[in-house]
Amino acid sequence: MLKGCLNYLKENIWDRQELLPVRNFVKKQIDTAIYKYNNMKILDKYILRQVIEMFLMGVFVFSTIIFASDVFTTLIKQIAKFGIPFKVAFIMILLNIPSVVVLTIPMGVLLSTVMTLNKLSLSSEITVMRACGIGLNRIAKPIFAFAIVMSLSSFIINESVVPVMTKQSKDLALWALGQKNIPDGKQNFIFKELNERGALKRLFYVGYCDKKTLHNITVLDNSKDDTIQILQARDGKTSPDGWHFKRGAVYTIGNDLNTSLFEELDVKFGLDLSKELNKNAAKEKNFYQLAKHLITSKDLQPRDRQIFTIELFDKIALPLTTIVFVLVGVPLAITPPRVRYNRGFLFSILIIFAYYVVRALAISFGEAGSLAPFFAAWLPNIVLTVWGSWLYYKKVYTIS
């Protein structure tokens, strides 16, 4: 199964023409990084090696936490509630990896910065460096360079890979939901839909199913008070938005009997995940596509325009969080001589928690219209930049 999933991802994602610039960019960046690393000074190599090791561990840990608490739980609910096959759900999990990595890159950079410098400070290595005339700016130089590279990488992934995979995940979910309740080859079967009280809402009878098409369908609809509808059709198909019927009639029984014939009819009952799946519509577009959509779409609802505008600003704000985290993390990681324990991990968790709480609140207020879209996306970065700049200035010019 795993081999089949990986083949699917390769054929439908990695081999797509849209990702060719990404593959070329990644190869070029790797070659450049190797060349620069081979010509780098010993101090930079020493610091950068520790930062990268801690960064990889941080991205893995934070990605696992987000998957376990959010993405994986959501997909499991979809499997249980909407009958998405496990194989399809597993592919959807893999397709969500880039969007999670984009969120965890700033976390990993902050953790690696604080833990590395805190370790060097506790072992008095920073004290020795400063005694040799190496200032904090010089010590932090390779870390800021690494943060800039990670910021650009995060932007590239968010612009090229995430929209493609988000769209592919949505299409896969739609396809899977469209196959629900279609037992191919079965004859004379029924299934029912209950309301919140457990009472019968709709009853479906199907004569037989052939090649994913239902034949001789009868639907008893009891969802409206004081009215019963009976729908009969020769053919029909399910979809995430409802049903599509061909050649049939609808009988409405209320105070009197009404009959209407149809050749084709779309009915909005059954599965309907269109609103749920459209929540990520903005993530299916890159910066240019989203900006163009906002400019050209004149009939866009005010709330949707607000959400799309926030997402547009966030596509720049989120990658730059990586650099902002380093600006805050460097001064906080320098431990005073009297402190003999590693407080780097605690600082990292507190900063990350505070940042994403403020980010969630700002975006929520922005989507509600209480906050301008620019400030909804940039408020956490602005706060951290002001605070980090003050801490960095104080630490650089006051440490003896």
Side-chain angles (χ1 to χ4, degrees):
M1 185 192 73
L2 180 60
K3 183 178 179 181
C5 293
L6 293 176
N7 288 334
Y8 174 88
L9 292 174
K10 182 179 183 299
E11 294 172 0
N12 293 274
I13 303 294
W14 187 246
D15 289 342
R16 292 180 64 148
Q17 190 65 26
E18 299 97 309
L19 295 182
L20 181 59
V22 180
R23 297 199 296 271
N24 294 336
F25 174 81
V26 171
K27 184 178 182 302
K28 182 179 179 181
Q29 293 303 312
I30 291 175
D31 294 339
T32 304
I34 293 173
Y35 174 78
K36 289 184 176 180
Y37 183 80
N38 291 332
N39 293 274
M40 196 179 297
K41 294 184 178 180
I42 296 176
L43 175 63
D44 295 334
K45 287 184 179 181
Y46 177 68
I47 295 175
L48 200 55
R49 188 184 301 114
Q50 298 182 65
V51 169
I52 293 175
E53 290 175 359
M54 191 60 64
F55 167 76
L56 295 176
M57 187 197 75
V59 169
F60 175 77
V61 171
F62 289 125
S63 298
T64 303
I65 293 173
I66 292 177
F67 261 110
S69 62
D70 185 18
V71 178
F72 188 73
T73 304
T74 301
L75 290 174
I76 291 298
K77 288 181 180 179
Q78 290 180 351
I79 294 173
K81 186 176 181 179
F82 303 111
I84 296 177
F86 178 79
K87 181 179 179 180
V88 175
F90 181 74
I91 296 176
M92 291 172 63
I93 290 175
L94 296 180
L95 291 172
N96 278 277
I97 289 177
S99 61
V100 174
V101 170
V102 168
L103 286 174
T104 57
I105 283 177
M107 301 182 192
V109 169
L110 175 62
L111 179 67
S112 61
T113 299
V114 176
M115 293 292 286
T116 299
L117 292 182
N118 204 207
K119 178 183 175 182
L120 295 176
S121 180
L122 286 173
S123 60
S124 301
E125 293 182 66
I126 289 184
T127 303
V128 174
M129 293 178 192
R130 293 180 62 83
C132 295
I134 302 175
L136 183 59
N137 282 326
R138 179 63 185 85
I139 297 172
K141 181 180 177 181
I143 301 177
F144 274 107
F146 177 72
I148 292 172
V149 172
M150 287 298 100
S151 180
L152 291 173
S153 301
S154 176
F155 179 78
I156 295 296
I157 294 172
N158 202 30
E159 282 295 284
S160 303
V161 181
V162 172
V164 174
M165 290 200 170
T166 302
K167 180 65 166 61
Q168 191 71 22
S169 178
K170 176 181 176 179
D171 293 343
L172 199 59
L174 288 170
W175 174 83
L177 291 168
Q179 309 306 308
K180 184 174 173 63
N181 296 325
I182 306 182
D184 205 21
K186 191 173 181 180
Q187 297 182 356
N188 298 321
F189 59 93
I190 64 172
F191 50 94
K192 57 186 177 181
E193 182 182 352
L194 304 179
N195 59 22
E196 296 177 354
R197 301 186 301 272
L200 180 65
K201 187 177 181 180
R202 296 184 184 92
L203 181 69
F204 301 82
Y205 166 80
V206 180
Y208 66 98
C209 180
D210 180 37
K211 296 180 180 179
K212 302 300 181 182
T213 300
L214 308 176
H215 301 278
N216 299 335
I217 307 165
T218 301
V219 181
L220 174 64
D221 189 350
N222 194 34
S223 60
K224 298 180 182 179
D225 295 335
D226 303 324
T227 302
I228 297 177
Q229 280 190 328
I230 300 175
L231 185 149
Q232 291 183 317
R234 291 290 183 89
D235 307 304
K237 287 187 175 182
T238 63
S239 74
D241 296 326
W243 290 66
H244 179 73
F245 297 104
K246 293 182 179 180
R247 294 175 298 170
V250 178
Y251 306 97
T252 304
I253 304 173
N255 297 327
D256 52 5
L257 176 64
N258 295 319
T259 304
S260 59
L261 304 178
F262 63 85
E263 283 295 319
E264 293 190 10
L265 178 65
D266 291 316
V267 182
K268 291 279 186 178
F269 57 60
L271 294 172
D272 187 1
L273 276 188
S274 55
K275 292 183 179 179
E276 186 70 22
L277 292 172
N278 284 332
K279 287 182 179 179
N280 292 327
K283 296 186 181 298
E284 297 176 14
K285 298 178 174 59
N286 58 32
F287 185 88
Y288 171 76
Q289 293 170 339
L290 197 55
K292 183 179 179 181
H293 181 70
L294 285 168
I295 295 173
T296 57
S297 299
K298 304 299 183 183
D299 56 345
L300 199 62
Q301 296 294 325
R303 176 175 170 78
D304 292 336
R305 183 174 293 277
Q306 186 85 353
I307 293 173
F308 279 30
T309 306
I310 294 172
E311 183 68 27
L312 181 70
F313 286 122
D314 192 54
K315 286 184 178 295
I316 302 297
L318 184 59
L320 290 180
T321 304
T322 305
I323 303 174
V324 176
F325 272 173
V326 173
L327 187 64
V328 175
V330 168
L332 288 178
I334 308 300
T335 306
R338 64 181 178 275
V339 178
R340 304 311 301 171
Y341 63 91
N342 193 325
R343 59 184 186 177
F345 183 75
L346 178 61
F347 276 152
S348 302
I349 297 301
L350 290 177
I351 294 171
I352 290 169
F353 177 77
Y355 171 81
Y356 283 100
V357 166
V358 174
R359 171 183 162 84
L361 289 174
I363 290 177
S364 297
F365 282 122
E367 292 178 351
S370 303
L371 199 62
F374 175 82
F375 288 105
W378 280 90
L379 183 61
N381 282 6
I382 293 174
V383 173
L384 281 182
T385 300
V386 173
W387 183 44
S389 299
W390 177 78
L391 286 176
Y392 194 86
Y393 176 86
K394 183 179 178 181
K395 186 67 68 173
V396 168
Y397 293 100
T398 59
I399 287 184
S400 57

